[in-house]
């Protein structure tokens, strides 16, 4: 989850990263790495949010693809092995294909969560 300058919370579509702040779960392996990757990528920068079918989740967080120019944070977290591709929710099929390909690349290279 990202927090924007206006305090709006944004959930990245199609990505599940290891937990770092869950109230009942311990910090999971590679969770801090995913948080740091995200922080370094977007902190203090202007990002573009692209929305899909659902604009908000049940917690009222925005659901978005987060871009810095044409670099997609959602996809790059998966490619770095710092998150899994999640396809069980309805979102754009071309993005699902991109995210699956990024996960396949991370798995093959044994990056991050796939290194264990």
């Amino acid at each position: 989850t990202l927090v924007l300058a206006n305090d709006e919370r944004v959930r990245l579509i199609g990505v599940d990263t290891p937990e770092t702040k869950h109230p009942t779960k311990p910090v999971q392996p590679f969770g801090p790495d995913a948080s740091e990757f995200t922080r370094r990528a977007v902190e203090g920068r202007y990002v573009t949010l692209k929305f899909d079918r659902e604009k908000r989740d049940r917690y009222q967080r925005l659901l978005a693809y987060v871009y810095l120019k044409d670099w997609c944070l959602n996809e790059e977290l998966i490619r770095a092995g710092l998150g899994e591709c999640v396809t069980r929710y309805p979102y754009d099929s071309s993005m699902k294909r991109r995210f699956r390909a990024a996960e396949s690349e991370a798995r093959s290279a044994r990056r991050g969560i796939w290194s264990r």
Side-chain angles (χ1 to χ4, degrees):
T1 303
L2 301 178
V3 180
L4 303 178
N6 66 359
D7 290 329
E8 184 87 57
R9 299 178 77 73
V10 179
R11 172 78 173 87
L12 303 179
I13 295 172
V15 183
D16 185 24
T17 58
E19 295 292 344
T20 58
K21 296 182 180 177
H22 195 281
T24 62
K25 294 180 183 178
V27 172
Q28 294 176 319
F30 296 99
D33 302 284
S35 294
E36 181 64 12
F37 181 94
T38 301
R39 187 191 65 73
R40 284 186 180 178
V42 301
E43 188 175 62
R45 294 189 170 99
Y46 288 98
V47 298
T48 300
L49 302 180
K50 294 190 179 176
F51 302 105
D52 207 298
R53 296 174 189 176
E54 302 290 327
K55 191 168 180 182
R56 293 196 181 267
D57 68 7
R58 63 183 171 163
Y59 304 107
Q60 295 308 302
R61 295 175 296 194
L62 287 172
L63 298 172
Y65 306 106
V66 177
Y67 284 89
L68 289 103
K69 298 185 181 175
D70 52 350
W71 187 86
C72 179
L73 174 62
N74 312 47
E75 182 176 23
E76 296 308 323
L77 272 164
I78 296 167
R79 180 171 284 111
L82 298 174
E84 293 182 71
C85 169
V86 177
T87 59
R88 68 183 173 270
Y89 300 108
Y91 65 94
D92 185 83
S93 59
S94 67
M95 293 305 283
K96 284 183 180 181
R97 281 191 298 277
R98 284 175 57 174
F99 293 175
R100 281 189 195 110
E103 182 174 289
S104 179
E105 181 184 324
R107 282 176 182 258
S108 293
R110 301 184 57 82
R111 289 186 200 122
I113 61 176
W114 310 113
S115 66
R116 301 173 40 184

